[in-house]
Amino acid sequence: MRGNSKASHNEVGAMPALTQVPTTVTLSAEQFEKLYLSPMMHRQPTLAKNLGNPTPLGIGAFVLTATPLACCLMSWRGAGGGGAAFTGVLVLFGGLLLVLSCILEFILGNTFSSVVFGHLGAFCLAFGASMTPAFNSAAPYSPDGTDTLAGLHSPGFVNTFAFFFLFMALLMLIYSVCATRTNLVFVLIFASLILVFSLLAAAYWKLGLEDAVMGNRLTVGAGAALFVATMLGFYLLTAQLLDSVGFPLSLPIGDLSGAWNRSRRQ
């Protein structure tokens, strides 16, 4: 019995010593704004120290939905149909994950990123729903009142839906101004999206006038601008994920948190 007791004691003594591992990490203002894409107006929220960061989820949902749509708008590899092939992607991938990211950002108290993800997610859901026959949004514009595909290309539908793109461009303008409190890459993404929605509105109005040549050119231009926005989004996503795993390489994103001389509330 004594031998067994001694062996057990030696085994315990051979175990590595316990070390204290920090369970929370306090971020600097620059790190917080890079990871959450929201100005750090107060001290780092308690929930942000204990919960995961949903911002890369929203950025990833945006780029993986918008990039193939951009290729479609530019008619690469014979793609077309105005993005109708991506109806499921818009609703079940982009819309779903962006709205989920919006809710999680809201819980963490990140107002700006919550609003951005919420509006982009709702746009994906609305755009996908407009191309879904069950919602009957385009069919009434068709000659027989029942053909969704014909309705999507009718002058009445495109002239009407163009206003949605126009005011989305206005919303992106507001976002781009607010993003000057975060980083340069985020500002450039919104600047590209302003061009995307403006060109789409112009394209729809040209198509409504049955000017297919100019309408298609404007659509291709919108696709090119969207492709630029998504490449910037992929860069921002990579920068955030590298920082989230403590990778030794940190990609610069052009921190703008000090661009405006506004004192932070404690």
Side-chain angles (χ1 to χ4, degrees):
M1 293 295 291
R2 290 183 179 179
N4 291 339
S5 177
K6 183 176 181 181
S8 299
H9 179 74
N10 290 337
E11 289 175 2
V12 173
M15 293 177 63
L18 296 177
T19 57
Q20 185 177 4
V21 178
T23 57
T24 61
V25 177
T26 300
L27 303 174
S28 66
E30 181 178 350
Q31 291 172 325
F32 182 88
E33 290 167 5
K34 180 178 182 180
L35 289 173
Y36 291 93
L37 302 180
S38 290
M40 189 174 176
M41 302 299 295
H42 308 274
R43 290 190 178 92
Q44 183 181 346
T46 303
L47 285 176
K49 300 178 183 179
N50 300 325
L51 300 180
N53 179 14
T55 309
L57 178 64
I59 296 295
F62 164 71
V63 297
L64 289 175
T65 303
T67 307
L69 182 58
C71 297
C72 173
L73 293 176
M74 291 186 288
S75 301
W76 285 2
R77 301 289 298 174
F86 299 117
T87 301
V89 177
L90 285 165
V91 174
L92 298 177
F93 190 89
L96 178 64
L97 290 183
L98 281 165
V99 170
L100 177 60
S101 301
C102 162
I103 295 171
L104 294 175
E105 295 281 6
F106 175 82
I107 293 173
L108 292 177
N110 299 326
T111 302
F112 182 52
S113 51
S114 174
V115 172
V116 169
F117 291 152
H119 283 156
L120 290 178
F123 173 82
C124 288
L125 294 173
F127 194 53
S130 298
M131 294 183 289
T132 303
F135 283 89
N136 200 36
S137 61
Y141 292 93
S142 65
D144 61 1
T146 59
D147 190 344
T148 297
L149 183 60
L152 288 172
H153 296 89
S154 67
F157 178 82
V158 293
N159 282 331
T160 304
F161 203 83
F163 285 104
F164 188 28
F165 291 137
L166 179 65
F167 290 106
M168 281 296 296
L170 176 60
L171 186 63
M172 295 304 111
L173 175 61
I174 297 172
Y175 287 165
S176 65
V177 174
C178 296
T180 58
R181 285 282 286 112
T182 57
N183 62 75
L184 181 61
V185 175
F186 212 28
V187 173
L188 293 176
I189 289 174
F190 289 126
S192 300
L193 290 178
I194 294 172
L195 191 58
V196 170
F197 288 116
S198 298
L199 289 174
L200 283 176
Y204 270 42
W205 276 323
K206 281 296 183 181
L207 293 173
L209 294 173
E210 299 184 351
D211 187 352
V213 174
M214 183 57 67
N216 290 332
R217 288 177 180 175
L218 290 168
T219 301
V220 171
L226 184 58
F227 190 79
V228 171
T230 58
M231 291 303 102
L232 290 168
F234 271 114
Y235 179 85
L236 184 58
L237 176 64
T238 303
Q240 289 186 327
L241 291 179
L242 289 177
D243 281 3
S244 70
V245 297
F247 202 79
L249 173 64
S250 181
L251 297 179
I253 59 173
D255 177 51
L256 298 175
S257 59
W260 300 98
N261 294 323
R262 179 177 177 178
S263 60
R264 299 180 186 277
R265 289 177 289 179
Q266 300 300 318

